[in-house]
Amino acid sequence: MDPTKKTLQPYVTGSSVLAIKYNEGIIVAADTLGSYGSLARFTDLQRMSKVTNHTLIGGSGDISDLQQIQKTVESLILENTGFKKDEEPLTPKEIQQYISRVMYNRRSRFDPLWNHIIVAGYQNNESFLGAVDIFGTFYEDNTIASGFGAYFAQPLLRKGYKEDLTKDEAIDLIKTCLKVLFYRDARTINKFQIAEVSEGGITISDPFELETHWEIADWQEGHL
Amino acid sequence: MFRTQYDSDVTTFSPQGRLHQIEYAMEAVKQGSTAIGLKSETHAIVVTLLRSSSDLSSYQQKIFKVDENIGIAIAGLTADARVLLKYMQNETLNHKYVFESPMSVEKLVSQIADKSQIHTQRYGKRPYGVGLLVIGHDKSGVHLFETSPSGNYFNYYAQAIGSRAQSAKTYLEKNFENFKKLSLDDLIFHGLTAIKESSSKEVLTKDNCSVGIVGVDTPFKFLEKDKLEKFLERVQPQDDLDDMDLNNDNQMNID
């Protein structure tokens, strides 16, 4: 009998996902790169997806595992909608819990789904921002950053966060963080998408670039 | 033994297009003692009339708690009901584990219906001989459902099942339009009045009837015996009881 095979390391990976709450919803952002080791293999992947009219999930880590999670959640939603009228859709919190159970189950089989998932939702005039890690640990916060962003962007997001942050302020802050990550994280490209989760529903922007300056790079120790 | 040649097997249609075994199963529900359910905007209750198999035995329980937000009342085969109850308790617990939220009442009821339907179509199985009134509260409000052995389920403002349910139904049909805004106390009063309609000569006591309650901010619970007694005093004023007792005495003069 062949030995059981597990994912021992991720293959095609996505880098950070950033998210912050503002006064009327949530801003989520990520770049569009799928790295194959250090090779920038796929440059136009979308790592955020709308799963219900109120909920968006985004993820870092193994892209194929992320796609599988997206599929699982999509079929869960499909199972829960349909013939029954005036039925309440699953809440963002319920979706986060469900993902957490899937992740915990996989880690308990010593074969984890190699991701850090961010769940952002806006339902019944309330915003929800939470995450699930590779082990199934779940938490909620006003600002969340996965991957390398947990080290570089999270402190900046926390510093910039306030109760009544406006949408424009939130987007500016997120863009600053994306730029910092682009400068320091070698698994990032200058092609980003920003998603808005609010009363009006969910919109994911087309990919865009940020203005960068490399003239001062020569003074950075270690830069070629 | 057989009413027709088409009733020995659940899966064979009669020439009239009917499935006799399923109709017999639904008949079993009608043989059970009465259970009624009704709801307001904030609460749903079930009221049942209990039977005992002999004077020496206790009354058979007919109301059960499924979860904090859901309860059922049964009419028909108690043993079958216990199977469905265990299934419902399992499903709600599992839902709580997976989603960290209480299960939607309709979702649970539709699963019961699907489970019952399988028993109407598969060779070698028999339908459940029990009907349920399911009351519950979830994020879409307060609900009352009826399930039946045929695999159907219905949403109700008020409903009665079991023997002599028609008398209770008549009462409920006359009054259900006022139920919406009622307080819990008034709802219980109407529930007990309705069950009295179908209890014919039998006097309601704190032992032979039972009330289950669930609502917004009210986890499922049974109405306490002493409170039930107070309600019964309102539903059956002493004067009426005296009259009834006289009648009963006449019948009981056999020793």
Side-chain angles (χ1 to χ4, degrees), chain A residues 166-178:
Chain A
T166 65
K167 184 169 134 190
D168 290 340
E169 286 171 331
I171 290 178
D172 280 349
L173 182 55
I174 286 276
K175 282 185 175 170
T176 309
C177 293
L178 288 174

Side-chain angles (χ1 to χ4, degrees), chain A residues 40-109:
Chain A
R41 180 66 182 82
F42 304 103
T43 54
D44 56 354
L45 295 178
Q46 196 183 102
R47 294 194 285 123
M48 298 175 289
S49 64
K50 180 180 155 182
V51 290
T52 73
N53 288 332
H54 316 275
T55 310
L56 171 128
I57 63 175
S60 326
D62 193 276
I63 295 293
S64 57
D65 284 0
L66 177 64
Q67 287 168 339
Q68 203 198 356
I69 291 168
Q70 283 170 346
K71 263 188 156 177
T72 322
V73 175
E74 271 164 32
S75 59
L76 170 78
I77 303 298
L78 204 61
E79 250 173 59
N80 281 280
T81 44
F83 70 100
K84 277 170 257 153
K85 56 182 176 158
D86 57 87
E87 189 184 55
E88 291 268 323
L90 286 172
T91 61
K93 174 82 192 154
E94 286 171 326
I95 291 169
Q96 185 209 24
Q97 286 300 318
Y98 179 81
I99 294 172
S100 156
R101 294 310 169 199
V102 173
M103 301 292 268
Y104 181 69
N105 183 263
R106 289 294 296 262
R107 85 101 220 198
S108 299
R109 283 147 58 185

Side-chain angles (χ1 to χ4, degrees), chain A residues 79-87, chain B residues 26 84 88 104-117 120 130-134 138 143-156 159 161:
Chain A
E79 250 173 59
N80 281 280
T81 44
F83 70 100
K84 277 170 257 153
K85 56 182 176 158
D86 57 87
E87 189 184 55
Chain B
M26 291 170 73
L84 290 178
M88 291 167 96
S104 126
V105 185
E106 182 159 5
K107 198 193 253 175
L108 178 66
V109 168
S110 75
Q111 276 178 236
I112 288 292
D114 291 350
K115 198 172 158 66
S116 305
Q117 197 281 335
T120 67
V130 69
L132 307 179
L133 289 176
V134 184
D138 57 30
H143 307 283
L144 165 65
F145 288 98
E146 178 197 355
T147 72
S148 107
S150 62
N152 282 308
Y153 74 91
F154 309 95
N155 194 348
Y156 282 102
Q159 170 67 332
I161 57 173

